[in-house]
């Protein structure tokens, strides 16, 4: 199978930093995406990694290690509006846009 | 430019009925994928269309089908509805060949009673 594993829930404090981990099976890997989804809304794109290393975009950064089948999403200077579900998704294979999603990590940011 | 549009937003159907959901991708996007989202399973891939051809299919029964038209709009159909088909159905569009993200629509919330 192509299981994508991420923690179910996390809690963090406003202004803090939180890291959400994601592990996946490496065979056929062809890119990893992070999406944010607020309750009742569509998922929105946060980041994309296909090569090893860190991609930084404002308060959000994403890291990938292809050999370890591991990624994390780092959220800095947390704000209340960051309370949402964070979805890790992996693209496998070539000529396809099919994404395999993890079940998502529900992040609660507390004052 | 307009985003991905899904209609209807909400739908209530009875067991045994059939339903058709519609997705209009972002202008110029020819790849459309469908996903089912439930609380326990997360997002699960249903199928992907490109240039009116189904390019990939997930592990769903044959009651789930779809198609894509020449203007890239896509429909998915679920026949003989079951209670377990209650879910949020999301459509995503993407530029073919792009390494970037898939853009999701707001989804159709289907409730089967």
């Amino acid at each position: 199978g192509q299981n994508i594993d991420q923690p179910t829930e996390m809690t963090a404090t406003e202004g803090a930093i939180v890291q959400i981990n994601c592990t996946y099976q490496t065979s056929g890997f062809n890119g990893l995406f992070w999406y944010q989804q607020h309750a009742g809304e569509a998922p929105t794109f946060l980041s994309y990694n296909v090569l090893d290393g860190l991609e930084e975009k404002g308060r959000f950064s994403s890291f990938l290690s292809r050999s370890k089948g591991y990624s994390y999403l780092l959220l800095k200077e947390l704000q209340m509006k960051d309370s949402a579900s964070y979805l890790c998704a992996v693209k496998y294979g070539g000529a396809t846009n099919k994404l395999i999603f993890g079940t998502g990590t529900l992040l609660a940011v507390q004052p | 430019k307009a985003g991905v549009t899904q209609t209807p937003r909400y739908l209530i159907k009875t067991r045994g009925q059939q339903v058709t959901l519609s997705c209009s991708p972002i202008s110029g996007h020819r790849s459309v994928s469908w996903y089912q989202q439930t609380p326990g399973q997360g997002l699960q891939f249903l199928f992907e269309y490109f240039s009116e051809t189904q390019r990939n299919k997930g592990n769903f029964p044959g009651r789930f089908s779809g198609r894509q038209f020449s203007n890239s709009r896509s429909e998915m159909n679920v026949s003989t509805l079951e209670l377990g088909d209650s879910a949020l159905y999301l459509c995503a569009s993407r530029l073919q060949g792009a390494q970037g993200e898939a853009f999701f629509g707001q989804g159709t919330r289907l409730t089967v009673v």
Side-chain angles (χ1 to χ4, degrees):
Chain A
Q2 295 164 326
N3 290 338
I4 314 295
D5 292 317
Q6 51 182 132
T8 304
E9 294 181 1
M10 297 183 73
T11 303
T13 304
E14 196 175 12
I17 298 173
V18 71
Q19 177 175 314
I20 302 174
N21 296 325
C22 172
T23 58
Y24 62 90
Q25 295 182 328
T26 58
S27 178
F29 173 83
N30 194 18
L32 185 143
F33 298 80
W34 283 96
Y35 282 85
Q36 180 192 59
Q37 187 177 27
H38 285 99
E41 297 184 10
T44 54
F45 171 79
L46 290 177
S47 68
Y48 170 68
N49 296 72
V50 67
L51 300 176
D52 291 348
L54 190 68
E55 294 281 342
E56 296 187 78
K57 192 184 291 188
R59 294 189 298 115
F60 293 5
S61 303
S62 57
F63 171 82
L64 177 69
S65 169
R66 288 174 296 170
S67 62
K68 293 190 170 106
Y70 168 69
S71 172
Y72 67 71
L73 179 69
L74 194 70
L75 291 75
K76 302 176 190 172
E77 301 168 18
L78 279 172
Q79 301 174 9
M80 299 299 290
K81 69 177 182 178
D82 297 329
S83 293
S85 188
Y86 291 85
L87 310 174
C88 173
V90 176
K91 182 170 179 274
Y92 286 99
T96 176
N97 288 321
K98 171 183 176 180
L99 296 177
I100 305 296
F101 280 84
T103 51
T105 299
L106 184 61
L107 173 66
V109 180
Q110 298 178 339
Chain B
K1 90 185 166 181
V4 179
T5 304
Q6 291 188 246
T7 56
R9 287 292 308 278
Y10 303 93
L11 204 50
I12 300 176
K13 289 285 189 178
T14 305
R15 271 182 300 174
Q17 287 186 309
Q18 68 92 26
V19 67
T20 299
L21 312 180
S22 179
C23 170
S24 293
I26 292 172
S27 178
H29 287 196
R30 293 162 64 193
S31 171
V32 173
S33 300
W34 288 89
Y35 294 84
Q36 181 196 66
Q37 187 174 32
T38 57
Q41 299 292 320
L43 272 94
Q44 294 195 289
F45 174 79
L46 280 156
F47 19 67
E48 174 196 359
Y49 288 90
F50 177 74
S51 290
E52 302 177 65
T53 301
Q54 187 180 87
R55 192 156 65 172
N56 217 328
K57 190 177 192 307
N59 295 325
F60 280 82
R63 301 184 297 108
F64 291 81
S65 63
R67 58 179 175 167
Q68 186 180 33
F69 302 95
S70 58
N71 62 357
S72 294
R73 189 177 72 84
S74 178
E75 288 181 348
M76 67 163 280
N77 184 278
V78 189
S79 62
T80 321
L81 282 166
E82 301 176 359
L83 295 179
D85 296 333
S86 295
L88 180 66
Y89 290 88
L90 290 162
C91 164
S93 81
R94 194 171 182 179
L95 275 174
Q96 171 56 18
Q99 286 296 312
E101 68 271 31
F103 294 87
F104 283 86
Q106 292 288 91
T108 295
R109 172 75 61 185
L110 172 66
T111 301
V112 182
V113 297

